[in-house]
Amino acid sequence: GEIKSTTHYNIKQWNMVKIGAVDRGPPGGIATPFPVQLHNILSMAEAEGYSHIISWHLNGSAFTVHNKDSFVREVIPRFFSQTKWESFKRQLYMYGFSLIKTKSGRDEGGSFHHDLFARDSPEMCTLITRERAKKIREKTIRKQ
C-alpha cells in the first residue's frame, strides 16, 4: 500500500498558516512580526486556557500579563525564541507599546497599550513598526 503524507500543525503553526506568516527559519528567513505574534497569543488565550496569565482589557485596546512568572514559563516559549520577561518587555518598547500605570503611579501588573494594537483590528498590528534602538525608552502612560 501507498503511504499518504499528512501535514500536522500545532496551534502556533496553524495560526501562522492562517495569517500567511512563516515561522522562524534559517537566518535571513521571514519571521512573524512581534506585534502579529503578540496578537495571536492574545487571540488564542481563552481557547488555549492561559487567559488567567495574559488577556485583553475589557475594551480591547490594551492587554495585561497577570502573572509574569507563568507567562515566561508557559506562554513565551510556545511563541518566541527568547524566554526572559525583560526581553519580552524590551520588544514591547521597541515596537512603541506603553506601560499603563494607575493614578497612584503603581504598575498595574504588566498592562500595555499601543494605538494600533486592538483586539478587534488584528490587521492594524501589521502597521506597527520597530523603532530604532537609540530612540527606545520605556514609555509610560497614565490611566485616566
Side-chain angles (χ1 to χ4, degrees):
E2 188 178 316
I3 299 173
K4 293 185 180 182
S5 174
T6 305
T7 303
H8 296 280
Y9 295 104
N10 65 31
I11 294 296
K12 177 182 171 187
Q13 292 166 328
W14 176 245
N15 279 308
M16 289 198 279
V17 168
K18 285 194 310 187
I19 63 169
V22 179
D23 195 1
R24 253 189 206 301
I30 300 168
T32 304
F34 177 82
V36 173
Q37 192 70 298
L38 179 58
H39 202 282
N40 288 341
I41 290 170
L42 285 155
S43 297
M44 295 173 8
E46 192 73 35
E48 291 293 305
Y50 54 82
S51 60
H52 63 288
I53 298 172
I54 183 172
S55 66
W56 289 105
H57 282 205
L58 289 177
N59 64 10
S61 66
F63 72 93
T64 297
V65 175
H66 306 286
N67 185 319
K68 293 173 189 174
D69 293 336
S70 294
F71 182 68
V72 168
R73 194 174 53 255
E74 299 172 33
V75 180
I76 287 181
R78 294 174 59 182
F79 299 93
F80 300 110
S81 59
Q82 51 82 14
T83 58
K84 294 181 181 167
W85 171 251
E86 289 304 317
S87 298
F88 176 78
K89 223 164 85 168
R90 189 176 319 112
Q91 285 291 318
L92 289 171
Y93 296 135
M94 288 171 80
Y95 280 94
F97 284 80
S98 298
L99 176 66
I100 299 172
K101 296 248 182 185
T102 60
K103 288 180 184 176
S104 67
R106 291 182 27 223
D107 186 328
E108 196 179 88
S111 293
F112 297 90
H113 166 81
H114 190 291
D115 289 339
L116 298 174
F117 193 78
R119 176 179 48 218
D120 298 330
S121 301
E123 69 285 352
M124 293 294 288
C125 62
T126 62
L127 302 175
I128 300 172
T129 57
R130 189 171 168 167
E131 296 176 7
R132 302 185 108 184
K134 290 181 182 179
K135 292 183 179 180
I136 298 167
R137 275 180 252 126
E138 186 169 319
K139 297 176 187 172
T140 304
I141 57 175
R142 299 274 173 214
K143 198 168 188 181
Q144 311 289 315

